[in-house]
Amino acid sequence: MLIADSFDVCFTSPLIRSKRTAEIIWAARQEEMIPESDLREIDLYSFQGLLKHEGKEKFGNAYRQWQKDAPNFNIDGHYPVKELWGRAKSCWNKILAHKGKSVLVVAHNAVNQALVATALGLGTDYFRVLLQSNCGVSVLDFTPKPRGDSPHVCINRLNQTPNSPIAGGTSAGRETSKRIVLVCHGSTQGNNEAIFANMGYESMNMLGVIQSQKTAELLLDLKVNCILSSPRIASIDTATLICQVQEAADCLGADCVPRYVEVKKTLDLEVEPVLQKARENTGSTLLDNLDDHHISNLWNQSDKAWQSVLEELSDESETERNVVVVGHPSIHTALICHCLKLTAEWMDSFHLDEGSISVIDFPDGAAGRGIVRCINYTAHLGRWSIPVTRSVRNN
């Protein structure tokens, strides 16, 4: 739920669906919303308004290119996706020029994809890779840099929807039978203590147990085939709870078939030793404060972990394959970067909270490209979640 008082200003597309959504959120505010034409939906020219079957019939080859190679799709002498990226960059110039510190932007699926991608500096080849759903909320934190340099951008949350991100649906309009769910373990005792000598060996505190229970309940919407877990206590306890709830699904009324789930301890998911060394040397485990040596160690280890996850996903013994990965938020930010074909320098561009999940679909199989359905989804935590309108970057 978005609270209008959390924002200083609201930019909105002038198109009716977006404008009406903005009016509902902004209802109690006296300030005028700012309509911005560049926030309109993607311009598809001769495709505009056509149903799918009409597009296939009238524009056979062009329609196939729109489906398979949208960034290079050309119609009526225009490249819609490239034009969309240009509009998104123009929007950011106007949005960031505003004096407001907290800005609400209400727009459409495709243009929101472009806004997220261009904020991070990603090109048109990321169209349909960072999904945006109806009523999905994405939060981007902009942190100023000295000497007037471009601000550091971090995705605090991507595509948090009112509906469960794992309860069916398609990825960019395509069915998928392969999915990875990244689960950050629950909050630990060490979170509330001044001494971190045993980092990674602490059990979960009461909040962490509640977070893990909520996550296990959410995952009942998914038939989990395998759980890969860091061997650290909080991760194993979270994975075990998910496994127990899955196997009790028939008793809980979720379905009538018991689900036998294997939990595999995966050493490459254990990043706490790297973070502990970084804490000893720098006093911090925040990714943007790690030196090159520790970043390199974490990145190389996460590459091995990502290959292990993909290998597990590629198992063809079952038609549908859903792999849950449980670990520290830092390993998951690295795995997201590997999925997106980014480098180690991008790891601090994503924020994950304990108890959150991130979902990646593979409509073309484990060897294909990953489609990110959501990042740092916490709606399932209910009252225990961090509100989407509150920045946690400097907490």
Side-chain angles (χ1 to χ4, degrees):
M1 179 179 177
L2 295 180
I3 301 174
D5 288 343
S6 302
F7 303 100
D8 299 315
V9 64
C10 174
F11 287 83
T12 178
S13 160
L15 301 184
I16 187 65
R17 290 169 299 160
S18 175
K19 185 178 179 182
R20 181 58 186 140
T21 301
E23 287 171 348
I24 292 172
I25 300 172
W26 205 249
R29 296 289 295 269
Q30 298 299 318
E31 297 88 346
E32 293 291 328
M33 299 183 299
I34 302 175
E36 174 51 58
S37 176
D38 281 339
L39 287 174
R40 68 188 184 277
E41 187 54 290
I42 186 171
D43 296 319
L44 291 177
Y45 304 98
S46 293
F47 268 27
Q48 209 79 31
L50 295 180
L51 300 175
K52 287 185 178 180
H53 74 273
E54 293 174 331
K56 292 178 182 178
E57 293 171 0
K58 293 185 178 181
F59 303 94
N61 291 333
Y63 184 83
R64 281 189 289 275
Q65 186 182 34
W66 168 241
Q67 293 294 102
K68 300 292 185 181
D69 186 22
N72 295 309
F73 167 63
N74 179 298
I75 189 166
D76 300 335
H78 294 271
Y79 290 88
V81 176
K82 293 179 181 178
E83 291 178 357
L84 181 68
W85 250 242
R87 282 203 274 124
K89 293 177 182 177
S90 173
C91 286
W92 280 126
N93 290 335
K94 299 170 187 175
I95 292 169
L96 295 178
H98 196 277
K99 62 181 180 181
K101 291 186 177 181
S102 183
V103 180
L104 173 66
V105 179
V106 184
H108 311 271
N109 174 354
V111 71
N112 282 350
Q113 289 185 51
L115 286 170
V116 172
T118 53
L120 291 175
L122 303 177
T124 56
D125 53 325
Y126 284 86
F127 182 59
R128 296 181 183 149
V129 172
L130 301 169
L131 294 192
Q132 295 288 292
S133 305
N134 290 339
C135 292
V137 175
S138 297
V139 180
L140 281 72
D141 293 334
F142 292 78
T143 303
K145 289 184 178 179
R147 299 184 298 277
D149 293 342
S150 296
H152 176 270
V153 182
C154 177
I155 294 183
N156 185 285
R157 209 156 312 203
L158 181 78
N159 200 32
Q160 177 150 307
T161 56
N163 299 322
S164 168
I166 60 174
T170 60
S171 284
R174 303 172 62 199
E175 297 292 338
T176 183
S177 61
K178 304 282 188 180
R179 173 172 289 175
I180 295 171
V181 181
L182 305 177
V183 175
C184 293
H185 65 61
S187 179
T188 63
Q189 297 291 347
N191 289 24
N192 301 318
E193 298 173 358
I195 299 175
F196 294 84
N198 295 318
M199 181 182 182
Y201 292 102
E202 316 95 340
S203 58
M204 289 186 290
N205 56 26
M206 182 54 69
L207 175 60
V209 172
I210 293 172
Q211 290 169 333
S212 297
Q213 290 172 337
K214 294 285 188 180
T215 299
E217 183 179 349
L218 175 71
L219 292 178
L220 276 174
D221 289 331
L222 195 70
K223 181 182 178 182
V224 176
N225 301 98
C226 178
I227 302 175
L228 302 182
S229 174
S230 162
R232 295 292 168 129
I233 294 174
S235 295
I236 286 294
D237 287 349
T238 300
T240 300
L241 184 55
I242 294 171
C243 180
Q244 290 171 341
V245 172
Q246 284 281 316
E247 292 179 349
D250 56 332
C251 303
L252 298 173
D255 55 34
C256 58
V257 180
R259 308 172 181 181
Y260 299 106
V261 184
E262 182 181 7
V263 177
K264 298 181 179 180
K265 295 181 181 179
T266 306
L267 286 176
D268 288 325
L269 291 172
E270 185 182 22
V271 296
E272 285 83 355
V274 175
L275 298 177
Q276 179 62 35
K277 290 180 180 178
R279 182 183 297 281
E280 293 169 357
N281 293 340
T282 67
S284 173
T285 60
L286 294 177
L287 289 176
D288 52 356
N289 289 336
L290 299 187
D291 59 30
D292 292 343
H293 173 71
H294 293 109
I295 284 287
S296 178
N297 288 343
L298 194 156
W299 183 252
N300 292 336
Q301 183 173 326
S302 67
D303 182 42
K304 297 177 184 177
W306 181 244
Q307 297 309 315
S308 297
V309 173
L310 292 181
E311 183 178 351
E312 194 63 48
L313 189 69
S314 64
D315 188 327
E316 299 294 341
S317 60
E318 297 181 78
T319 304
E320 184 178 339
R321 190 73 178 167
N322 298 305
V323 177
V324 171
V325 184
V326 184
H328 189 278
S330 294
I331 187 65
H332 289 331
T333 57
L335 296 181
I336 290 170
C337 289
H338 284 293
C339 171
L340 295 174
K341 308 297 184 186
L342 302 175
T343 58
E345 290 74 19
W346 295 80
M347 283 195 291
D348 63 351
S349 296
F350 303 93
H351 171 86
L352 297 177
D353 292 308
E354 290 172 323
S356 71
I357 73 164
S358 301
V359 181
I360 306 170
D361 289 344
F362 290 79
D364 294 317
R369 190 171 194 180
I371 307 299
V372 180
R373 178 174 288 275
C374 65
I375 293 175
N376 200 31
Y377 181 93
T378 60
H380 64 292
L381 301 178
R383 67 173 63 190
W384 310 105
S385 66
I386 296 174
V388 297
T389 51
R390 170 186 160 196
S391 171
V392 297
R393 177 172 170 77
N394 294 320
N395 286 1

